[in-house]
Amino acid sequence: MLMKRALAETGLDMSGMTVLTEAATGAYAVTPVLAAMAGAKQVYAFTKPGRHGTVTDAKRETFEIAATLDVADRIEILEKISPEVLHSVDIVTNSGHLRPLTAALIDQLRGDAVIALMFEAWEFRREDLDIEACARRKIRVVGVNERHPAIDVFSFLGPLAVKQLHDCGLAVLGNKIALLCDNDFLAPLLTGLTNLGANVETFDSVAAVHPGAWEAFVVALQPTDSPRIGRAEAAHLAACAPDGAVVVQFWGDVDRAVLAANGLAVWPPQSVGQGHMGILLSEIGPEPIIRLQTGGLRAAEWVRRGGAVTEDGFAQLVPWPEVT
């Protein structure tokens, strides 16, 4: 089973710990179950209705998995988080139903509690949690090294981009693709696309793109406060592309209205949340999610137990800002 293998490969051990995470649906239903499988004495899983399912859906899917692994008795699903729960937890995950982690929530945590970011530290989004409150309380926010051999989520990024291109009607094989990337996603994305036979040229900014017979612009630009593709950028891409080119939003916010006004198609067709990826890892199966969630818990567990943070280890720290 994928979950047991992920636990064995990472060495996740949450014995004696209390964890607050989410109860979600689909592949994300595994998170509280993984914590319980790793020996957590109590797992609180908060849920609420969302676009991926109802409260009933989340409860059912979580307990269906937990029951088969005989850990359901240590998972409690919550629709409201009490101060007593917050006072008791060792680890809180930066998970969808819990976000944003507000100052009011953070101020209720013990001083030795740890927040599990659940992705790499450099991908931190300020809208997810109040980092100033964490700095004031000295609450550590722990990213996970997704490139650690026991986790290796980055190897799924190339197949994920290929899935997006297939979904929007491109074969990848033989397609001429401009890959716009200014971050550490570059190498796995380039490898994944070229291994499938795409003709790829890379650019670290929209301004660097030159005219060509581009069939797609794959955008993987680190989000900022404003869209990475706004009015000026959309006009530049339109000037560089033939009719029918599509802008594929892998990561990095884009202004869909100005892209459409410039005659460019956008994939995915629906808008995604600010700062979020245009496709979920779960779109290519449960394994990358299981690896990522196990790794996120392992990184936080490591720091909570006093482990040293090293470049090649599981854990990364989000730096605290200066607070007055």
Side-chain angles (χ1 to χ4, degrees), residues 206-223:
V206 174
V209 177
H210 58 72
W214 309 114
E215 293 168 272
F217 299 103
V218 174
V219 178
L221 297 168
Q222 188 159 3

Side-chain angles (χ1 to χ4, degrees), residues 176-180 190 194 198-203 208 210-211 214:
K176 188 169 175 61
I177 296 170
L179 173 59
L180 284 61
L190 180 60
T194 55
N199 180 6
V200 184
E201 191 169 344
T202 64
F203 304 93
H210 58 72
W214 309 114

Side-chain angles (χ1 to χ4, degrees), residues 3-317:
M3 295 170 70
K4 290 181 178 179
R5 187 173 72 189
L7 291 176
E9 290 179 352
T10 60
L12 178 63
D13 177 10
M14 308 201 83
S15 56
M17 291 188 173
T18 298
V19 179
L20 173 60
T21 187
E22 69 170 354
T25 56
Y28 289 91
V30 302
T31 312
V33 182
L34 286 165
M37 289 173 66
K41 65 179 181 181
Q42 180 65 56
V43 181
Y44 296 108
F46 175 73
T47 192
K48 59 185 178 182
R51 62 190 180 96
H52 297 295
T54 65
V55 167
T56 300
D57 293 332
K59 288 181 177 180
R60 183 186 69 254
E61 293 185 32
T62 300
F63 282 128
E64 281 178 356
I65 300 170
T68 64
L69 295 160
D70 199 27
V71 294
D73 61 321
R74 280 181 282 123
I75 299 173
E76 181 178 347
I77 295 183
L78 309 174
E79 294 180 62
K80 183 178 180 180
I81 304 171
S82 68
E84 291 74 23
V85 167
L86 294 174
H87 296 162
S88 72
V89 298
D90 296 281
I91 291 171
V92 181
T93 66
N94 172 44
S95 300
H97 286 322
L98 289 168
R99 293 197 295 258
L101 300 180
T102 63
L105 182 150
I106 292 164
D107 285 345
Q108 296 289 326
L109 299 176
R110 298 199 316 260
D112 59 357
V114 168
I115 293 174
L117 191 61
M118 307 303 278
F119 43 79
E120 293 212 342
W122 63 275
E123 299 175 74
F124 169 71
R125 302 180 297 249
R126 294 186 67 87
E127 62 267 23
D128 280 3
L129 61 90
D130 192 324
I131 192 66
E132 285 78 15
C134 293
R136 187 173 62 251
R137 294 285 322 286
K138 304 300 182 187
I139 301 291
R140 290 162 295 181
V141 179
V142 183
V144 54
N145 177 9
E146 296 180 31
R147 286 162 278 194
H148 190 285
I151 302 167
D152 196 25
V153 173
F154 267 38
S155 290
F156 293 92
L157 296 179
L160 199 63
V162 169
K163 174 72 163 60
Q164 275 193 302
L165 288 161
H166 284 170
D167 287 347
C168 76
L170 292 174
V172 180
L173 177 65
N175 289 144
K176 188 169 175 61
I177 296 170
L179 173 59
L180 284 61
C181 188
D182 60 358
N183 54 72
D184 290 353
F185 287 173
L186 178 61
L189 287 175
L190 180 60
T191 298
L193 294 172
T194 55
N195 282 353
L196 265 290
N199 180 6
V200 184
E201 191 169 344
T202 64
F203 304 93
D204 62 7
S205 69
V206 174
V209 177
H210 58 72
W214 309 114
E215 293 168 272
F217 299 103
V218 174
V219 178
L221 297 168
Q222 188 159 3
T224 59
D225 291 338
S226 58
R228 294 306 307 268
I229 299 183
R231 189 175 305 277
E233 293 82 9
H236 180 72
L237 291 182
C240 291
D243 292 340
V246 60
V247 174
V248 177
Q249 182 187 8
F250 187 83
W251 193 44
D253 303 316
V254 303
D255 188 324
R256 291 167 175 268
V258 298
L259 284 166
N262 281 274
L264 290 164
V266 187
W267 191 269
Q270 72 281 359
S271 180
V272 301
Q274 183 178 359
H276 290 257
M277 294 180 68
I279 182 171
L280 297 174
L281 281 165
S282 55
E283 289 294 312
I284 54 174
E287 183 171 358
I289 297 301
I290 291 170
R291 286 176 170 268
L292 181 61
Q293 301 305 92
T294 307
L297 292 170
R298 179 65 167 109
E301 175 247 312
W302 175 262
V303 171
R304 177 65 183 83
R305 295 196 192 279
V309 176
T310 60
E311 187 174 348
D312 60 352
F314 287 103
Q316 305 169 341
L317 292 177

